[in-house]
Amino acid sequence: MPGSRRSQRQRAVSELRAQGRYGPQLRDVLPAFAGLGLAVAVAVATLAWLYRGLGFAGLLLGVVLLSAVATAGLRWHRAAVRRRGGHYTPAELQRLDDHGLATAAERMLNRDGWQVIAMPEKGRPRLYARRGGRQLDVGFRPADEPTTDEDTSASPAPTLRQVGRAGVDNLTRVVVSRGSYSRTDVLWASRQGGVHLVDGRQLYQWAGGASLDDLGLPG
């Protein structure tokens, strides 16, 4: 019966969409098509204007300029997609402020399968992440925080002192820095248990595709 076949098709389409296998709907792709049409219209109008004003030389100049703009736009788009997917170059990380670094870390955690919630504390960025039965409390060492000296009897960096006692609430505490940690910091973290320090070198590896587990995150 037609009605029965229609109902079956609707159920099949609904199941495929729920599984993400049916493909985008018109409302999903319409903005992209509209933007593409506008870009083509502007390009054609620009070429026509240059041709009327400068002749063939103007047309050639327009083609060269539009090609350069299109190439730059494509590179920017690819870089933006890469960053949204949780992959950053060292130069890109260095240009970020503390909150931008937290956004990058959130994307990298999502890339690795963690469910992440931003939980800023007193204006400082902080992330809570969960995957399976594992939980992370991710803090960030400010870029302008001075490095502690190498005296093993000294206190660790201020950011580490705020970490608190690890392991008491089943959280692994991760502190991310674009710089380095002193021997005092490393020894202090090793004595706490459940505290993992990510320095600049490890951060670049993480941003390049390695996971925190690859970098020695406690299980």
Side-chain angles (χ1 to χ4, degrees):
M1 297 175 58
S4 178
R5 284 197 295 269
R6 186 181 300 112
S7 299
Q8 291 175 1
R9 183 179 182 278
Q10 290 175 346
R11 285 197 299 270
V13 169
S14 298
E15 291 176 1
L16 288 173
R17 283 176 176 166
Q19 298 170 10
R21 296 163 52 194
Y22 186 73
Q25 302 181 37
L26 178 60
R27 65 173 178 267
D28 299 324
V29 300
L30 189 58
F33 279 122
L36 179 60
L38 179 61
V40 171
V42 170
V44 171
T46 300
L47 292 175
W49 178 75
L50 289 172
Y51 181 73
R52 285 196 302 268
L54 301 174
F56 181 76
L59 184 62
L60 181 60
L61 175 62
V63 170
V64 172
L65 290 176
L66 289 175
S67 298
V69 170
T71 300
L74 182 60
R75 289 177 178 173
W76 178 87
H77 176 71
R78 287 176 175 173
V81 170
R82 171 175 50 78
R83 290 191 294 268
R84 285 197 298 270
H87 293 83
Y88 289 77
T89 67
E92 289 169 341
L93 290 175
Q94 287 297 330
R95 289 194 295 266
L96 299 175
D97 60 14
D98 292 339
H99 290 278
L101 181 59
T103 299
E106 181 176 357
R107 290 173 174 174
M108 289 186 279
L109 286 167
N110 284 326
R111 178 200 72 197
D112 295 338
W114 295 87
Q115 295 178 325
V116 187
I117 300 175
M119 301 181 65
E121 181 179 8
K122 299 180 181 179
R124 302 282 317 152
R126 202 174 193 91
L127 304 174
Y128 169 79
R130 185 184 187 95
R131 188 179 68 185
R134 303 171 67 185
Q135 302 176 65
L136 302 181
D137 178 6
V138 185
F140 300 87
R141 182 174 179 175
D144 57 354
E145 183 176 88
T147 303
T148 57
D149 56 38
E150 295 300 324
D151 181 4
T152 57
S153 64
S155 299
T159 299
L160 301 189
R161 291 200 298 269
Q162 297 170 6
V163 166
R165 186 180 175 190
V168 297
D169 47 8
N170 296 320
L171 280 174
T172 297
R173 285 170 166 80
V174 179
V175 183
V176 179
S177 172
R178 277 170 291 193
S180 60
Y181 295 99
S182 71
R183 186 162 175 260
T184 300
D185 297 335
V186 174
L187 288 175
W188 177 88
S190 66
R191 292 170 183 151
Q192 303 307 304
V195 175
H196 184 66
L197 304 183
V198 177
D199 60 16
R201 179 183 59 82
Q202 293 175 314
L203 176 62
Y204 298 152
Q205 293 175 345
W206 186 22
S211 68
L212 287 178
D213 292 324
D214 296 333
L215 303 179
L217 179 71

